[in-house]
Amino acid sequence: MSTLGNKVVIITGGARGLGAEAARQAVAAGARVVVADVLEEDGAALVAELGEAGRFARLDVTSEEDWNRVVGFAVAEFGRLDGLVNNAGISTGSLLEAESVEHFRRVLEVNLVGVFIGMKSVIPALKEAGGGSIVNISSAAGLMGMAFTGSYGASKWGVRGLSKIGSVELGTDRIRVNSVHPGMTYTPMTAVTGIRQGEGNYPNTPMGRVGEAPEIASAVVFLLSDAASYITGAELAVDGGWTTGPTMKYITGQ
């Protein structure tokens, strides 16, 4: 069972979408959660929903000062820190030749440097707690080459690699580091692309549909929990089989 009894977790980008669903499921599993985001109104509304097990902290993931403040806040409010979900990120798409250098750098700053600062910032508190779990949200675009994902894909490949390095360096401290690789998932961030929910609306995947935030969040909660106590350095694709290979309809032409 993926239970998180009394564990304390920081979730970045936690005010809406996948982050908010991960916060809900973590609290339902027994955790206390610090929702960290730049979206203050959405974050406040979510922690009101979560009740006494939730707190909100404003966090710009590119700021080391913000990170140190949020980690200190989590420990001050709940007495310890057991986990981190690095979920905050920018979704973007353009051809390599069309993307500006400034935009490329900005995406890497949020999606990759922000993950690095977060991992670095929580390590002392996790060691103090005797270990813990870091879950870094990468992407299917961090498992395969995808057109129109120059900066985004590069950042997510980087998150994948950084997770591997963290798992090796931190294993003896009983800090597990894993990456989750969602496929196309319906969230407020992706809804603007025109994707639709329901069966048959995403034929690129063997399962023929987009994912839903609760499906990704349940994988995150599992990796945070002691049910995953011997899992570190893993890449968990939650993508309806997208990165596994083409659909049978594509292969057979039906």
Side-chain angles (χ1 to χ4, degrees):
M1 294 292 292
S2 299
T3 58
L4 299 177
N6 292 319
K7 292 185 185 296
V8 178
V9 180
I10 296 170
I11 301 177
T12 73
R16 65 179 186 177
L18 170 57
E21 186 58 37
R24 293 186 184 99
Q25 290 195 23
V27 167
R32 292 166 291 172
V33 172
V34 174
V35 174
D37 208 311
V38 294
L39 302 176
E40 297 185 35
E41 290 187 8
D42 290 343
L46 178 61
V47 297
E49 173 190 334
L50 298 177
E52 284 301 309
R55 299 287 190 278
F56 175 76
R58 192 184 190 284
L59 171 66
D60 173 355
V61 295
T62 68
S63 167
E64 190 171 7
E65 180 181 354
D66 272 16
W67 267 109
N68 289 334
R69 176 179 50 77
V70 170
V71 172
F73 173 74
V75 174
E77 288 291 306
F78 295 124
R80 58 185 292 133
L81 183 64
D82 303 281
L84 167 66
V85 180
N86 271 314
N87 170 70
I90 299 173
S91 178
T92 183
S94 64
L95 291 170
L96 285 173
E97 63 179 337
E99 185 163 18
S100 71
V101 174
E102 293 76 16
H103 186 263
F104 188 92
R105 285 179 173 148
R106 175 59 181 166
V107 173
L108 262 66
E109 186 75 13
V110 173
N111 290 8
L112 180 56
V113 178
V115 169
F116 161 72
I117 302 172
M119 292 174 67
K120 179 181 174 66
S121 300
V122 303
I123 288 170
L126 295 183
K127 286 183 175 180
E128 181 67 23
S133 174
I134 298 173
V135 182
N136 294 327
I137 307 300
S138 180
S139 169
L143 293 173
M144 62 181 180
M146 295 176 61
F148 299 97
T149 68
S151 55
Y152 180 78
S155 70
K156 294 304 186 178
W157 278 84
V159 168
R160 176 188 182 188
L162 192 59
S163 301
K164 294 284 193 185
I165 293 163
S167 71
V168 172
E169 292 188 0
L170 301 171
T172 54
D173 293 305
R174 298 297 181 261
I175 298 172
R176 299 180 294 104
V177 186
N178 296 286
S179 56
V180 172
H181 299 257
M184 184 60 77
T185 305
Y186 188 84
T187 67
M189 185 172 71
T190 60
V192 297
T193 67
I195 67 169
R196 293 183 297 155
Q197 296 169 285
E199 295 291 336
N201 283 325
Y202 203 68
N204 289 4
T205 67
M207 293 192 71
R209 64 174 177 85
V210 300
E212 301 286 347
E215 295 174 305
I216 315 301
S218 63
V220 171
V221 170
F222 165 68
L223 290 173
L224 288 171
S225 77
D226 291 340
S229 59
Y230 202 52
I231 300 175
T232 194
E235 304 159 352
L236 181 52
V238 190
D239 65 354
W242 191 16
T243 56
T244 305
T247 68
M248 282 299 295
K249 287 185 178 180
Y250 176 83
I251 295 170
T252 63
Q254 295 179 351

